[in-house]
Structures are given as structure tokens and as C-alpha cells.
Short mmCIF file of all heavy atoms in Angstrom, two decimals:
data_model
loop_
_atom_site.label_atom_id
_atom_site.label_comp_id
_atom_site.label_asym_id
_atom_site.label_seq_id
_atom_site.Cartn_x
_atom_site.Cartn_y
_atom_site.Cartn_z
N GLY Z 22 109.36 87.89 63.66
CA GLY Z 22 108.27 87.41 64.49
C GLY Z 22 106.94 88.02 64.14
O GLY Z 22 105.93 87.75 64.84
N SER Z 23 106.88 88.85 63.11
CA SER Z 23 105.61 89.50 62.74
C SER Z 23 104.58 88.48 62.24
O SER Z 23 104.94 87.51 61.57
CB SER Z 23 105.87 90.53 61.63
OG SER Z 23 106.68 91.58 62.10
N SER Z 24 103.32 88.74 62.58
CA SER Z 24 102.21 87.91 62.06
C SER Z 24 100.91 88.62 62.41
O SER Z 24 100.73 89.07 63.55
CB SER Z 24 102.25 86.53 62.69
OG SER Z 24 101.24 85.69 62.15
N PRO Z 25 99.99 88.71 61.42
CA PRO Z 25 100.14 88.28 60.04
C PRO Z 25 101.03 89.25 59.26
O PRO Z 25 101.19 90.42 59.63
CB PRO Z 25 98.71 88.31 59.51
CG PRO Z 25 98.05 89.41 60.28
CD PRO Z 25 98.65 89.30 61.67
N ILE Z 26 101.58 88.76 58.16
CA ILE Z 26 102.39 89.56 57.26
C ILE Z 26 101.56 89.81 56.00
O ILE Z 26 101.17 88.87 55.32
CB ILE Z 26 103.71 88.87 56.91
CG1 ILE Z 26 104.57 88.70 58.19
CG2 ILE Z 26 104.49 89.67 55.86
CD1 ILE Z 26 105.77 87.82 57.98
N ILE Z 27 101.30 91.09 55.71
CA ILE Z 27 100.46 91.46 54.58
C ILE Z 27 101.34 91.88 53.41
O ILE Z 27 102.26 92.67 53.58
CB ILE Z 27 99.51 92.63 54.95
CG1 ILE Z 27 98.63 92.23 56.14
CG2 ILE Z 27 98.67 93.05 53.77
CD1 ILE Z 27 97.86 93.40 56.74
N VAL Z 28 101.08 91.33 52.25
CA VAL Z 28 101.79 91.74 51.02
C VAL Z 28 100.77 92.18 49.98
O VAL Z 28 99.65 91.67 49.92
CB VAL Z 28 102.70 90.62 50.47
CG1 VAL Z 28 103.73 90.21 51.49
CG2 VAL Z 28 101.88 89.43 50.03
N LEU Z 29 101.18 93.13 49.15
CA LEU Z 29 100.24 93.78 48.24
C LEU Z 29 100.60 93.46 46.78
O LEU Z 29 101.67 93.82 46.31
CB LEU Z 29 100.29 95.31 48.44
CG LEU Z 29 100.02 95.79 49.87
CD1 LEU Z 29 100.21 97.30 49.95
CD2 LEU Z 29 98.64 95.41 50.33
N GLY Z 30 99.69 92.80 46.10
CA GLY Z 30 99.84 92.62 44.67
C GLY Z 30 100.28 91.25 44.25
O GLY Z 30 100.96 90.52 44.98
N CYS Z 31 99.87 90.90 43.01
CA CYS Z 31 100.17 89.57 42.50
C CYS Z 31 101.65 89.33 42.28
O CYS Z 31 102.08 88.18 42.21
CB CYS Z 31 99.39 89.34 41.20
SG CYS Z 31 99.68 90.59 39.93
N ALA Z 32 102.45 90.41 42.24
CA ALA Z 32 103.88 90.24 42.05
C ALA Z 32 104.53 89.51 43.24
O ALA Z 32 105.62 88.99 43.12
CB ALA Z 32 104.56 91.60 41.82
N PHE Z 33 103.84 89.52 44.39
CA PHE Z 33 104.39 88.86 45.60
C PHE Z 33 104.00 87.38 45.70
O PHE Z 33 104.44 86.71 46.61
CB PHE Z 33 103.86 89.60 46.85
CG PHE Z 33 104.60 90.86 47.17
CD1 PHE Z 33 104.15 92.08 46.69
CD2 PHE Z 33 105.72 90.84 47.98
CE1 PHE Z 33 104.80 93.25 47.00
CE2 PHE Z 33 106.37 92.01 48.30
CZ PHE Z 33 105.92 93.21 47.82
N SER Z 34 103.17 86.90 44.81
CA SER Z 34 102.62 85.55 44.99
C SER Z 34 103.69 84.47 44.99
O SER Z 34 103.63 83.55 45.82
CB SER Z 34 101.58 85.27 43.89
OG SER Z 34 102.16 85.34 42.60
N HIS Z 35 104.68 84.57 44.09
CA HIS Z 35 105.71 83.55 44.04
C HIS Z 35 106.51 83.55 45.33
O HIS Z 35 106.87 82.48 45.87
CB HIS Z 35 106.63 83.80 42.84
CG HIS Z 35 107.76 82.81 42.71
ND1 HIS Z 35 107.56 81.50 42.38
CD2 HIS Z 35 109.11 82.96 42.93
CE1 HIS Z 35 108.73 80.86 42.34
NE2 HIS Z 35 109.67 81.72 42.68
N ALA Z 36 106.82 84.74 45.85
CA ALA Z 36 107.62 84.84 47.08
C ALA Z 36 106.87 84.25 48.25
O ALA Z 36 107.47 83.53 49.10
CB ALA Z 36 108.00 86.29 47.34
N ILE Z 37 105.58 84.51 48.34
CA ILE Z 37 104.79 83.96 49.46
C ILE Z 37 104.73 82.43 49.36
O ILE Z 37 104.80 81.73 50.38
CB ILE Z 37 103.35 84.53 49.44
CG1 ILE Z 37 103.39 85.99 49.91
CG2 ILE Z 37 102.41 83.74 50.34
CD1 ILE Z 37 103.70 86.16 51.37
N ARG Z 38 104.62 81.89 48.17
CA ARG Z 38 104.57 80.44 48.00
C ARG Z 38 105.87 79.79 48.52
O ARG Z 38 105.85 78.65 48.98
CB ARG Z 38 104.35 80.08 46.53
CG ARG Z 38 102.95 80.38 46.02
CD ARG Z 38 102.70 79.82 44.63
NE ARG Z 38 101.39 80.18 44.14
CZ ARG Z 38 101.14 81.22 43.36
NH1 ARG Z 38 102.15 81.97 42.92
NH2 ARG Z 38 99.92 81.48 42.97
N ARG Z 39 106.96 80.49 48.41
CA ARG Z 39 108.23 79.96 48.85
C ARG Z 39 108.46 80.16 50.36
O ARG Z 39 109.02 79.28 51.03
CB ARG Z 39 109.38 80.60 48.07
CG ARG Z 39 109.44 80.17 46.60
CD ARG Z 39 110.57 80.86 45.86
NE ARG Z 39 111.87 80.56 46.44
CZ ARG Z 39 112.61 79.49 46.12
NH1 ARG Z 39 112.16 78.61 45.23
NH2 ARG Z 39 113.78 79.30 46.66
N VAL Z 40 108.03 81.31 50.86
CA VAL Z 40 108.33 81.64 52.26
C VAL Z 40 107.34 81.01 53.24
O VAL Z 40 107.74 80.51 54.30
CB VAL Z 40 108.37 83.17 52.47
CG1 VAL Z 40 108.60 83.52 53.95
CG2 VAL Z 40 109.48 83.80 51.61
N ALA Z 41 106.05 81.02 52.91
CA ALA Z 41 105.02 80.56 53.84
C ALA Z 41 105.27 79.15 54.39
O ALA Z 41 105.08 78.94 55.60
CB ALA Z 41 103.64 80.65 53.18
N PRO Z 42 105.65 78.18 53.58
CA PRO Z 42 105.87 76.83 54.13
C PRO Z 42 107.04 76.78 55.12
O PRO Z 42 107.08 75.88 55.96
CB PRO Z 42 106.18 75.99 52.90
CG PRO Z 42 105.59 76.74 51.74
CD PRO Z 42 105.77 78.18 52.11
N GLN Z 43 107.94 77.73 55.05
CA GLN Z 43 109.10 77.74 55.97
C GLN Z 43 108.77 78.32 57.33
O GLN Z 43 109.52 78.15 58.28
CB GLN Z 43 110.24 78.54 55.33
CG GLN Z 43 110.72 78.02 53.99
CD GLN Z 43 111.76 78.94 53.36
OE1 GLN Z 43 112.68 79.41 54.05
NE2 GLN Z 43 111.65 79.19 52.08
N TYR Z 44 107.65 79.06 57.42
CA TYR Z 44 107.25 79.71 58.67
C TYR Z 44 105.78 79.39 58.94
O TYR Z 44 104.90 80.23 58.81
CB TYR Z 44 107.47 81.23 58.58
CG TYR Z 44 108.91 81.60 58.39
CD1 TYR Z 44 109.47 81.69 57.14
CD2 TYR Z 44 109.75 81.82 59.50
CE1 TYR Z 44 110.81 82.03 56.95
CE2 TYR Z 44 111.08 82.14 59.33
CZ TYR Z 44 111.60 82.26 58.07
OH TYR Z 44 112.94 82.57 57.90
N GLN Z 45 105.54 78.14 59.29
CA GLN Z 45 104.15 77.67 59.41
C GLN Z 45 103.41 78.27 60.60
O GLN Z 45 102.18 78.26 60.63
CB GLN Z 45 104.16 76.15 59.46
CG GLN Z 45 104.67 75.52 58.18
CD GLN Z 45 104.61 74.00 58.18
OE1 GLN Z 45 103.96 73.40 59.02
NE2 GLN Z 45 105.29 73.38 57.22
N ARG Z 46 104.13 78.77 61.61
CA ARG Z 46 103.48 79.41 62.73
C ARG Z 46 103.08 80.87 62.40
O ARG Z 46 102.35 81.50 63.14
CB ARG Z 46 104.38 79.42 63.95
CG ARG Z 46 104.62 78.04 64.57
CD ARG Z 46 105.46 78.16 65.84
NE ARG Z 46 104.80 78.97 66.84
CZ ARG Z 46 105.41 79.88 67.58
NH1 ARG Z 46 106.72 80.14 67.40
NH2 ARG Z 46 104.75 80.57 68.50
N THR Z 47 103.62 81.37 61.28
CA THR Z 47 103.33 82.75 60.86
C THR Z 47 102.18 82.70 59.87
O THR Z 47 102.09 81.83 59.01
CB THR Z 47 104.58 83.36 60.19
OG1 THR Z 47 105.66 83.33 61.10
CG2 THR Z 47 104.29 84.78 59.73
N GLN Z 48 101.29 83.69 59.97
CA GLN Z 48 100.18 83.81 59.02
C GLN Z 48 100.50 84.91 58.03
O GLN Z 48 101.09 85.95 58.37
CB GLN Z 48 98.88 84.08 59.77
CG GLN Z 48 98.43 82.93 60.63
CD GLN Z 48 97.11 83.20 61.34
OE1 GLN Z 48 96.83 84.31 61.76
NE2 GLN Z 48 96.31 82.16 61.49
N PHE Z 49 100.10 84.68 56.78
CA PHE Z 49 100.37 85.61 55.68
C PHE Z 49 99.05 86.02 55.04
O PHE Z 49 98.11 85.23 54.95
CB PHE Z 49 101.30 84.97 54.65
CG PHE Z 49 102.65 84.59 55.21
CD1 PHE Z 49 102.82 83.36 55.82
CD2 PHE Z 49 103.73 85.43 55.10
CE1 PHE Z 49 104.06 82.98 56.33
CE2 PHE Z 49 104.97 85.08 55.61
CZ PHE Z 49 105.14 83.86 56.23
N VAL Z 50 99.02 87.24 54.53
CA VAL Z 50 97.87 87.75 53.79
C VAL Z 50 98.38 88.31 52.47
O VAL Z 50 99.25 89.19 52.46
CB VAL Z 50 97.14 88.83 54.58
CG1 VAL Z 50 95.92 89.33 53.79
CG2 VAL Z 50 96.70 88.34 55.95
#
């Protein structure tokens, strides 16, 4: 239930692209 979720570094970009659409009420940084 955390939001926003902050991730650090370009290595996380692929994972965010996959996860963010599944949790549209959650904000990511």
C-alpha cells in the first residue's frame, strides 16, 4: 500500500515499466 514508491537508478527502469501499470492507484518515482 506504499505510495509514492521511490526507486534509485536506471537499473530499475524496466521493473517500473512492468509494475506501474498493474498498480495505477500507486504513484512511483
Side-chain angles (χ1 to χ4, degrees):
S23 295
S24 184
I26 297 171
I27 302 170
V28 300
L29 306 174
C31 55
F33 280 92
S34 60
H35 179 69
I37 287 291
R38 289 188 183 96
R39 289 179 61 87
V40 176
Q43 301 175 42
Y44 297 89
Q45 296 183 14
R46 292 184 61 223
T47 303
Q48 294 181 323
F49 299 85
V50 181

